[in-house]
Amino acid sequence: MNPTYILLFVFLGIPALLFGGQYLFARRLRTKKEEVLATDFSATWDAILHQNVPLVTKLPKRFRERLETNIKLFLAEVSFEGQGGVEITDEIRVTVAAQACLLTVGRENKRYPRLNNIIIYPSAFTDSPRSPNFDPDNPTYRLGESWTTGTVILAWDSAKRGAVNIHDGHNVTLHEFAHQLDQEDGVADGVPIFEHRSAFAAWADVFTREYDIQVKKATKGHRSVLDHYGATNYAEFFAVATEAFFEKPKQLKRKRPEVYKILKNYYRLDPITW
Ligand SMILES: [Zn+2]
């Protein structure tokens, strides 16, 4: 073949093919997103929210439409897998998605870029051999897990109970999705990604101080609006504080005002007013 043609193919043909492929892929994604957005939020899904996720029904009206849009996109992007005989139903998908999306609804266009799949067990489960925490000699029972590789695992009985009871400060779904937000930068350290870098200094300042208080309370067995499990490490402190922020906002603001304020700024939500 004429060397000129070969050079033309290398410098013009290959980039054109690559660009064309990318363009078609982006177009297909866009079409799929448009299709998802064009569908209605069904009455069945709405009934599931009312029945299982009362927290969401208290959300101010201005966030409601965005939440429904984000739930639709979330369910189109993330796959669910049942384990231990669980059959994935709309009840499971919508209950989990609604709470995951509640954490991000205050910030426009914010979703879970790392999240791929959600595994649902009927009740407490032992560590999966696929889990980064797996120890065959010492299996532990868990209600939820969140992996930096984009997997969330939930025990459905606890997840449902936690969603229905919105005042006890325990919600495993909010807890695990707070971990997902924390792990978005690849590390579980209690420091999520901020919209503005300037937010980091205030976060580090408040979290360091408040975590120390939590450790002291847990060590001495003192009562706390935050579960003592939050004294495990900074990542657990963030996840436990998130549960209290949404389920015990009044108590959290009264007892630990700095924690409430920093989470209010991060989530851009003010549950005390709901
Ligand atoms: Zn945790």
Side-chain angles (χ1 to χ4, degrees):
M1 193 190 280
N2 185 328
T4 313
Y5 290 140
I6 295 174
L7 282 174
L8 273 175
F9 178 71
V10 168
F11 287 108
L12 294 175
I14 292 177
L17 281 172
L18 288 174
F19 179 76
Q22 266 183 359
Y23 172 76
L24 285 175
F25 182 65
R27 208 183 137 97
R28 209 166 57 226
L29 273 184
R30 211 166 43 238
T31 315
K32 191 180 171 198
K33 188 177 170 188
E34 281 160 7
E35 271 172 27
V36 170
L37 292 179
T39 57
D40 284 335
F41 195 87
S42 77
T44 314
W45 288 14
D46 195 49
I48 293 167
L49 291 186
H50 276 88
Q51 184 104 31
N52 282 7
V53 201
L55 203 50
V56 159
T57 61
K58 287 155 76 81
L59 197 64
K61 264 203 179 88
R62 66 182 186 282
F63 291 120
R64 186 56 193 259
E65 199 178 323
R66 191 191 294 169
L67 184 86
E68 290 182 2
T69 301
N70 287 352
I71 291 172
K72 288 192 287 184
L73 290 171
F74 184 99
L75 290 176
E77 289 165 354
V78 179
S79 67
F80 282 70
E81 176 190 329
Q83 284 284 343
V86 169
E87 200 175 305
I88 299 299
T89 57
D90 266 9
E91 185 193 5
I92 291 175
R93 295 168 76 239
V94 172
T95 302
V96 173
Q99 294 172 92
C101 293
L102 178 66
L103 294 190
T104 60
V105 75
R107 290 169 296 157
E108 213 164 354
N109 300 324
K110 176 77 188 151
R111 291 207 299 280
Y112 295 90
R114 274 178 177 261
L115 185 66
N116 299 311
N117 65 323
I118 297 168
I119 302 172
I120 305 286
Y121 282 85
S123 52
F125 54 91
T126 53
D127 281 336
S128 151
R130 285 187 280 162
S131 163
N133 305 316
F134 181 63
D135 176 0
D137 300 324
N138 189 22
T140 45
Y141 280 88
R142 296 174 182 278
L143 303 178
E145 278 192 15
S146 171
W147 302 353
T148 48
T149 46
T151 297
V152 165
I153 314 180
L154 294 166
W156 172 239
D157 58 356
S158 297
K160 185 172 174 180
R161 205 164 42 241
V164 172
N165 186 336
I166 58 171
H167 297 300
D168 64 354
H170 293 294
N171 185 314
V172 67
T173 310
L174 295 181
H175 182 107
E176 298 308 334
F177 281 95
H179 280 319
Q180 271 297 302
L181 292 173
D182 177 12
Q183 292 163 348
E184 204 176 302
D185 56 3
V187 197
D189 56 0
V191 183
I193 293 175
F194 304 105
E195 276 173 63
H196 303 290
R197 288 176 70 129
S198 58
F200 172 74
W203 185 274
D205 179 45
V206 169
F207 262 60
T208 311
R209 205 169 41 244
E210 293 287 340
Y211 175 72
D212 286 347
I213 294 172
Q214 195 61 26
V215 170
K216 278 187 194 128
K217 279 181 180 287
T219 312
K220 292 179 178 169
H222 288 174
R223 281 165 62 94
S224 165
V225 63
L226 299 175
D227 194 289
H228 285 163
Y229 187 62
T232 308
N233 54 44
Y234 287 110
E236 296 304 342
F237 185 73
F238 173 39
V240 161
T242 294
E243 291 178 80
F245 177 71
F246 285 98
E247 294 210 344
K248 289 183 167 181
K250 278 187 191 136
Q251 295 99 309
L252 183 65
K253 193 173 181 181
R254 199 170 61 239
K255 303 273 187 193
R256 311 286 284 272
E258 296 221 61
V259 176
Y260 187 86
K261 190 175 163 200
I262 201 108
L263 291 179
K264 180 183 153 196
N265 290 342
Y266 171 68
Y267 286 117
R268 296 201 179 183
L269 296 170
D270 194 6
I272 209 167
T273 61
W274 299 355

